[in-house]
Amino acid sequence: MAPNARLDHRNPLVFDTRELGRRPGALQRLTREIDAPRDLGIQGVIGVPEGTPVELELRLESVMEGVLVTGTARATAEGECVRCLEPVELELEADFQELFSYPDADDRGRVIAEPGDDAEDDEDRFFLEDGLFDLEPVLRDAVVLALPMQPVCQDDCPGLCSECGARLADDPDHHHDAVDIRWAALQGLAGSTTDGEKDEMSGAEAGVDEKQEK
């Protein structure tokens, strides 16, 4: 990732590392509760609703190359069961670790004259800007990896009836009488024959009644 464009220290996901200085081994521990940003999770499947609390625990460690950030995010995720479509709510705990490099140092911590010369390497790296770093992209990646791709309300959820859409967990004995398609045509024919016999019997009874009246 290329160096960030003017980070705002008022952003709750932007952190200041200047207290560490550039002293390898210096440590700082932080806790912070933030409001979840928009689209935090797997879009259309499950995620942390925008504005809900996210608890962050961070450990900042100064190393030769920059600042190593290790942390855990905790929040409540909401989604929909992929089997029965009922709402799903789960407690999320996402761990992450990322190195935020000094913009003037290479992978071995040596100062380089022109940071960003190797564009391909920079694409995969995160950088500090004036001692600040933005945790949001790292948090997003960690949350996506921690969430289930196919959430279910319970591991043994039986889902919905394929014929009528009823939720099977609500009615374990739910079933439909199976009809062999090979006999369907014969059953239709039998029904037609029965209806015809009824019509003939009705006609015969009407004839008898007419004779009796005469």
Side-chain angles (χ1 to χ4, degrees):
M1 178 178 175
N4 298 301
R6 305 308 302 174
L7 297 180
D8 184 353
H9 69 277
R10 295 169 297 182
N11 184 331
L13 283 169
V14 171
F15 292 83
D16 192 340
T17 69
R18 285 174 289 191
E19 288 187 16
L20 295 173
R22 294 183 67 157
R23 305 183 304 275
L27 291 174
Q28 185 179 9
R29 297 182 185 275
L30 298 172
T31 59
R32 184 179 293 183
E33 182 174 288
I34 66 164
D35 292 337
R38 184 178 181 182
D39 298 329
L40 182 60
I42 306 171
Q43 200 165 8
V45 180
I46 189 170
V48 181
E50 183 178 3
T52 59
V54 178
E55 296 179 3
L56 299 174
E57 291 184 5
L58 302 180
R59 179 179 183 270
L60 313 183
E61 180 180 3
S62 179
V63 295
M64 290 292 294
E65 302 92 334
V67 176
L68 181 65
V69 178
T70 305
T72 301
R74 296 182 180 88
T76 300
E78 298 178 4
E80 187 178 80
C81 178
V82 296
R83 297 179 188 170
C84 69
L85 308 183
E86 287 293 302
V88 171
E89 186 175 285
L90 59 85
E91 295 305 312
L92 167 72
E93 184 169 302
D95 297 322
F96 51 86
Q97 185 174 72
E98 189 63 57
L99 174 65
F100 289 84
S101 301
Y102 297 124
D104 60 350
D106 66 9
D107 292 337
R108 285 168 289 183
R110 299 176 304 186
V111 175
I112 54 178
E114 296 293 336
D117 282 348
D118 194 337
E120 292 185 2
D121 288 345
D122 287 353
E123 288 181 359
D124 298 325
R125 297 171 64 189
F126 292 89
F127 289 88
L128 294 168
E129 180 191 313
D130 296 329
L132 305 176
F133 69 86
D134 184 2
L135 188 65
E136 183 170 343
V138 176
L139 176 63
R140 288 188 178 279
D141 289 345
V143 168
V144 168
L145 290 174
L147 287 171
M149 294 295 294
Q150 294 188 317
V152 291
C153 58
Q154 54 189 30
D155 292 339
D156 59 350
C157 174
L160 303 176
C161 174
S162 60
E163 295 191 36
C164 68
R167 188 169 182 263
L168 298 178
D170 296 334
D171 183 8
D173 297 325
H174 180 88
H175 70 281
H176 295 271
D177 293 331
V179 177
D180 192 326
I181 59 174
R182 292 173 298 180
W183 295 101
L186 293 177
Q187 288 180 344
L189 181 61
S192 298
T193 303
T194 301
D195 293 341
E197 291 175 350
K198 288 181 179 179
D199 292 341
E200 291 177 1
M201 291 178 63
S202 298
E205 291 175 357
V208 172
D209 291 343
E210 288 178 1
K211 291 178 179 180
Q212 289 176 349
E213 288 178 0
K214 291 179 180 178

